[in-house]
Amino acid sequence: MIVAVIIGCEIGFWVLLGLGLLARYKLRRRRLGGVLLLCVPLVDLVLLAATVIDLRGGGTAAWTHGLAAAYLAYSIVFGHRTIRWADQVAAHRLSGGPPPWKPPAGGMARARYEWGVWLRIVLAYGIACGLLGLAIWIIGDATRTAALTDFMLSLARVPAIAVLWPLSYTLFPKKTTDQRAS
């Protein structure tokens, strides 16, 4: 059941985001667009409620509950940035606004940017672990929550692998056009 709710929430996120941006830029209904965009975080509340209801109803925690925690953590840390990026793209394509912001092309500026992204990934991991730890504590039954502990440990691979990007930009920075000219 939780997987279906996660999929539904992901679809709901993009549908609300798309409708909000369409209303804002194509239909020129800024207030309606704003209301739809404000509803995007409600999708996370639906997922949280479904997870709590499932676990409180005596369900045994599974990797899907861990995935729900990871989804919520991603939304908390990266949701606003994702919406801001989509807003910039929509403003550019639908209303002739300026092109969306792009990260630095290379050099140490790009390395700093990549380290910032990695730190956000670590923060999302920490939030997911906090949510999973809270669920483990609330349920209070190690046999019913073993999958959450396992998921938490396997989720540690994400920041461990993601550190390769900032490391590569730090150790082997791409030359920018300014650096090539000198």
Side-chain angles (χ1 to χ4, degrees):
M1 174 189 96
I2 295 297
V3 172
V5 175
I6 292 170
I7 291 169
C9 287
E10 182 67 14
I11 291 168
F13 171 85
W14 290 105
V15 166
L16 282 171
L17 180 59
L19 290 174
L21 295 174
L22 184 67
R24 178 180 273 186
Y25 294 110
K26 201 66 172 169
L27 302 177
R28 307 260 189 247
R29 306 228 10 229
R30 293 192 65 79
R31 186 170 293 181
L32 174 61
V35 168
L36 289 168
L37 291 175
L38 284 174
C39 289
V40 170
L42 295 177
V43 171
D44 294 337
L45 293 178
V46 168
L47 178 58
L48 182 61
T51 304
V52 168
I53 289 168
D54 188 43
L55 291 174
R56 296 264 326 200
T60 299
W63 68 271
T64 54
H65 296 93
L67 184 61
Y71 180 90
L72 288 169
Y74 176 87
S75 291
I76 290 167
V77 176
F78 289 99
H80 185 265
R81 288 172 60 104
T82 302
I83 291 170
R84 188 175 59 225
W85 167 81
D87 189 52
Q88 290 174 353
V89 170
H92 176 65
R93 291 192 179 162
L94 300 176
S95 292
W101 178 86
K102 290 184 179 181
M108 289 315 290
R110 180 60 183 247
R112 278 189 298 279
Y113 169 80
E114 294 296 336
W115 281 112
V117 171
W118 182 76
L119 288 173
R120 286 179 187 87
I121 291 169
V122 171
L123 176 61
Y125 173 71
I127 291 170
C129 287
L131 290 170
L132 293 170
L134 183 63
I136 291 167
W137 179 72
I138 288 172
I139 293 170
D141 181 357
T143 59
R144 285 183 51 214
T145 59
L148 298 182
T149 304
D150 293 343
F151 188 86
M152 201 181 321
L153 294 172
S154 65
L155 190 61
R157 290 184 229 158
V158 174
I161 292 170
V163 77
L164 296 175
W165 275 264
L167 274 176
S168 69
Y169 277 99
T170 302
L171 299 175
F172 311 104
K174 287 174 60 177
K175 298 244 189 246
T176 61
T177 52
D178 296 342
Q179 291 172 326
R180 289 183 193 142
S182 33

